[in-house]
Structure formats: structure tokens, C-alpha cells
Amino acid sequence: MDTRYAIILAAGKGTRMKSKLYKVLHPVCGQPMVEHILQKVTDTKPAEVVAIVGHGADKVQEQLGDRCVYALQEAQLGTGHAVLQAAQFLEGKKGTTLVISGDTPLLTSQTLNHLFEYHLGKNASATILTAQAEDPTGYGRIIRDHVGIVDRIVEQKDATVEEARVTEINTGTYCFDNELLFSALANLNTDNAQGEYYLTDIIEILKNEGHSVAAYQTEDFNESLGVNDRVALAYANTVMRERINHQHMLNGVTLVDPATTFIDADVVIGSDTVIEGNVTIKGKTVIGEDCVITNGSQIVDSQIADAVVIKASVVENSIIHQQADVGPYAHLRPHSEIGAKAHIGNYVEIKNATIGEETKVGHLTYVGDATLGREINVGCGVVFVNYDGKSKFRTTVGDRSFVGSNANLVAPLTIEAHTFIAAGSTITKDIPEYAMGIARSQQVNKKEFAKKLPYLQ
């Protein structure tokens, strides 16, 4: 079996992005472009992957980690020069090398595998991944001879008027015989409009040496998209989002309005879950089966079990167990855990807190840095007072307790099971099991006093 290698070109700064963030690190549906590329390359099962880094090398390495090795391109002297930096890892090895740009996030694993297979089937020295473009402006053109065999690639700036009319374009992705690739790289020169070492010149070099060159054309032009500016970035996000939503629907998820549903690449959703429009699901969120996520919700890096209902709410880095419901207009901040069949109502904020099974936090309440047991009722307007201006403190409430409306629970505090807290109380001391805590001023009625008020005169 032929050994596969891969070289990912990720050294460019991307000046047209006009960004402090290096080009290949710009996200498409929640993942940096270069992450999309590495995942697709990994699916082809290469023996070794070399990432060519330059601008922002440390950030790129931080993203990709130890899943590949790195070669530094200190001076940006062209794509041919970039590939040459991989010689320390790959030169002299037998096999096929995929060369791919880190800014082409729409390429699929299927296309890359087909490219490898086509290359081997044609016994070619090089195979170019091409596409047909309605408007080829900006792309290198595939120039074929009179019988349709690939002759060379001509860059836009070097093309004649006739060559510029060609609509078959170079996607910038190739398969090469690895030994021939590094042999040909030694013959590159900078005799072109850019004054750079073009990787595309390898094709003509190999042809002149008598080697065969092939081209495999992808059916989807979108796969050829190289993201060089924010306009292309937005388009890449649109195409990727359509792919992601399409696959979720095929998997049995109902998207009421796919055009306004934004789901990141790593999100997992179970069958028979219904997601309404204007919903955003980000990061590594996992959503179970039979859930309902209504209009306007945003879920980030959270774990949602089966049969959960989330109504127009924000959930961040939290866990919601089965058959719980959240919202409308609730906010689960990081490190919140909502127990099975629990209810988190409208305008409730939960932060770094655990809410037990079948506990109800109905409305207009803040629960921060707290552990609540099961079957507790928390009334309206309750505040878990967790911060003294310097440090955070925790409150624990036992099972089957009742917290009356407008109560303030001043941490640190332990409220045992089966307790009752009177409405309007400010609780500063622990409450033992089965006790009632009440801390409010005694009511005094002053007879006839209202007659003295100006507005009644």
C-alpha cells in the first residue's frame, strides 16, 4: 500500500484579512480554518503531517498541538519555498504527498481521498485538484494541450489574454510523488511577476523531465475557496453552516428555519430534537434526543440530556439533565448543573451552582455559588448573596426546603433539609433541619396616618 504524507501550508500572515489574528486561525463555524484542514487531512490516514508555519507560528502550534510536526518558513518566498521547508522530514521517502493550504476550509475528506486514489490510479508524478469556475479571476489556470493533457499551471498575473479565459482553475491542492517533488523543488526559480518560488512551476518541471501529470476535478467549486479576506470568510461560514445543518437534518434533527440556525462544527445533536430559528449552538455542545430549543436561544460548550426544553435562554459551559426545562429568558452561566426534571424559570440567573432534581427556581432570582438539593421551591426575587466585594462564598440548601420570595441568603450559609425561609427575610445564620428562618422587621400599623399625606389632601 502506498504511504501517504501531507504538508499543510500555514505560514502566511494574510494581510488582506486586515486582522491581528493570523489568517489560518480565523474561525469557520467555530473552528480555525487550519483545524478544519488538519481534521480532513487526518481522515486520509497519512503516516506523517508537516505544518509549515511562519507568522503566528506559536499560535498555530498551540492550536494543532502534537498532531503534526512543524517546519518554520522564516522568509515568505512563495509556496514552493514553503514546501521545501518540509524536506527535513520527508525528503527521500517513498510515497505520495498531499500539499494543501491552511486557508481552504471547505475541502472535504471525501475529495482528498478521491484525489489520492485518482493520483495512484493514473500513476502520475503529480495530480492537481481542479475546479470549474464561472469567474476564474484570481485563480491559477490549468493549461492543457491539444489532447487534454495537463501542460502547466499559469498564475493570474502571468497569464496571457487567451490563458486568462480558461475556466478550469487550480485549487492549490496537489498530490505528488514524494521523491520527485523534492527533486523538482531544487529546480525552482523566481522568474515570474511575483518574484517568488511558485509551487505551480513544479508541474512544468515534471512534464519537461518526462513525467506524467494528472488533474482531478472536484464537482463542488466551493471546495476550492481560499479565504483571503473577510468577504470570503463570511461566504465560507455560510457554506459550512449549510453543510452542517443539512447533515443534522439527515440525522433526524428538526431545524424549523435552517437559514437562521447557527451550529458549530463540533456540535452533536440527538434525533427528534426540534430547534427553532434564530438559535446559536457553539463549541463542543452535546444535545440529546427529544429536546426542544426555542427561538433566540444560545448554547455554548454545554451538555444537554434527553427531553430538555430550553426557551429563549443562554446556556454557557453548563450541564442540564433529562426532562429539565429552562427559561424563557434564563441565563445559565459557566459551571451550572441543572438536575433532572428541575425548572429554571424566566429571568433566572444561575452561576457556578448545582440545582437538584425536581427543584424549582421560578423567576427573577439569582443563584450564585450554591448547591441546592432536590424538590426545593425557590420563590420570586430571591438573591443568593455570594460576594462581599473581595471573596466569593457558597450557600448549601437541603432537600425539600422552601425559600420564600424576596429572601436574601448571605453566604457562607448552610440551610438544612426540610426548612422554611419566610418571604422578605435576610438570612445570615445557618438554619437547622425542620426550622423556619425569619429575619425581617416587625410590621407596625399607624392608624389614621395616611390622612396626613399630601397626596390624599
Side-chain angles (χ1 to χ4, degrees):
M1 181 177 177
D2 187 68
T3 303
R4 295 179 176 183
Y5 307 101
I7 299 172
I8 300 174
L9 305 182
K13 184 177 182 180
T15 54
R16 280 181 282 174
M17 297 295 287
K18 293 182 170 59
S19 174
K20 294 181 285 297
L21 184 65
Y22 298 105
K23 181 170 72 169
V24 297
L25 295 179
H26 277 267
V28 173
C29 291
Q31 287 183 352
M33 290 190 284
V34 72
E35 178 66 36
H36 282 287
I37 292 299
L38 180 57
Q39 289 183 7
K40 301 305 185 295
V41 165
T42 301
D43 288 343
T44 68
K45 296 180 171 51
E48 193 164 8
V49 179
V50 182
I52 310 301
V53 294
H55 292 290
D58 55 338
K59 296 295 184 183
V60 175
Q61 290 181 232
E62 183 180 329
Q63 173 63 42
L64 302 183
D66 60 1
R67 291 173 290 167
C68 54
V69 295
Y70 301 92
L72 180 64
Q73 185 188 21
E74 294 185 10
Q76 309 296 297
L77 303 178
T79 51
H81 178 259
V83 172
L84 187 59
Q85 309 313 302
Q88 59 184 300
F89 299 106
L90 300 180
E91 189 171 19
K93 293 183 178 180
K94 292 186 179 298
T96 300
T97 296
L98 173 72
V99 177
I100 187 169
S101 175
D103 64 359
T104 53
L106 298 179
L107 281 166
T108 64
S109 305
Q110 182 180 40
T111 293
L112 296 182
N113 274 313
H114 286 169
L115 177 62
F116 269 115
E117 292 160 6
Y118 187 87
H119 173 79
L120 291 175
K122 291 293 184 179
N123 194 29
S125 64
T127 302
I128 311 157
L129 180 65
T130 72
Q132 284 291 334
E134 290 184 12
D135 179 8
T137 304
Y139 291 93
R141 308 303 202 275
I142 304 300
I143 307 301
R144 297 177 181 266
D145 64 19
H146 65 286
V147 294
I149 296 173
V150 175
D151 185 52
R152 66 193 186 280
I153 302 171
V154 177
E155 297 298 331
Q156 171 83 30
K157 293 183 178 181
D158 299 305
T160 65
V161 173
E162 184 178 351
E163 289 169 341
R165 294 194 187 103
V166 174
T167 57
E168 185 180 13
I169 58 94
N170 173 27
T171 67
T173 300
Y174 316 83
C175 276
F176 292 101
D177 176 286
N178 187 69
E179 292 175 295
L180 291 176
L181 169 63
F182 286 99
S183 173
L185 282 170
N187 296 320
L188 287 180
N189 60 57
T190 59
D191 185 19
N192 52 62
Q194 293 283 84
E196 294 182 347
Y197 294 97
Y198 287 164
L199 181 62
T200 51
D201 288 347
I202 295 289
I203 303 303
E204 192 169 1
I205 291 171
L206 292 173
K207 288 280 292 183
N208 290 339
E209 291 176 351
H211 302 292
S212 64
V213 173
Y216 173 76
Q217 189 172 119
T218 176
E219 295 180 0
D220 184 1
F221 173 75
N222 285 328
E223 289 196 53
S224 70
L225 179 70
V227 176
N228 292 312
D229 56 32
R230 305 297 180 114
V231 176
L233 181 66
Y235 184 72
N237 271 282
T238 298
V239 174
M240 183 74 75
R241 185 172 73 248
E242 289 175 353
R243 288 182 185 174
I244 290 168
N245 289 355
H246 182 75
Q247 188 59 52
H248 282 300
M249 289 187 285
L250 291 179
N251 291 342
V253 178
T254 296
L255 302 184
V256 175
D257 185 6
T260 63
T261 304
F262 301 84
I263 303 174
D264 277 356
D266 285 334
V267 172
V268 177
I269 306 174
S271 63
D272 290 317
T273 283
V274 177
I275 299 173
E276 295 182 353
N278 297 308
V279 169
T280 300
I281 307 174
K282 295 183 175 183
K284 298 185 181 298
T285 294
V286 176
I287 298 175
E289 298 180 354
D290 303 303
C291 294
V292 176
I293 316 294
T294 76
N295 190 297
S297 294
Q298 182 179 99
I299 304 172
V300 182
D301 287 323
S302 295
Q303 308 296 306
I304 314 297
D306 295 342
V308 168
V309 177
I310 299 174
K311 300 176 183 176
S313 295
V314 176
V315 180
E316 303 173 89
N317 193 20
S318 294
I319 299 170
I320 305 176
H321 293 278
Q322 64 271 16
Q323 298 182 29
D325 67 280
V326 175
Y329 312 117
H331 186 181
L332 304 190
R333 290 169 60 192
H335 311 300
S336 298
E337 183 170 358
I338 311 303
K341 299 182 181 179
H343 168 64
I344 307 299
N346 48 305
Y347 301 104
V348 170
E349 181 177 343
I350 310 290
K351 190 272 293 183
N352 192 30
T354 300
I355 310 299
E357 186 174 338
E358 295 190 64
T359 285
K360 296 177 173 59
V361 185
H363 34 263
L364 298 163
T365 287
Y366 171 68
V367 182
D369 298 292
T371 301
L372 278 63
R374 56 185 296 156
E375 297 180 54
I376 295 169
N377 187 85
V378 179
C380 178
V382 172
V383 177
F384 283 67
V385 185
N386 59 330
Y387 184 50
D388 67 359
K390 182 180 179 181
S391 302
K392 298 285 181 73
F393 299 93
R394 198 162 189 86
T395 295
T396 300
V397 182
D399 296 345
R400 297 186 177 180
S401 293
F402 182 94
V403 182
S405 296
N406 202 36
N408 298 307
L409 309 184
V410 183
L413 202 60
T414 299
I415 298 167
E416 301 290 351
H418 307 96
T419 57
F420 187 99
I421 296 175
S425 295
T426 295
I427 303 298
T428 59
K429 297 178 182 179
D430 295 348
I431 302 176
E433 190 172 10
Y434 291 107
M436 181 180 78
I438 182 169
R440 62 192 185 204
S441 300
Q442 183 177 358
Q443 180 175 329
V444 175
N445 295 334
K446 295 184 179 289
K447 294 182 179 180
E448 307 295 322
F449 183 82
K451 292 180 178 180
K452 300 177 183 180
L453 299 176
Y455 73 91
L456 291 178
Q457 301 304 312

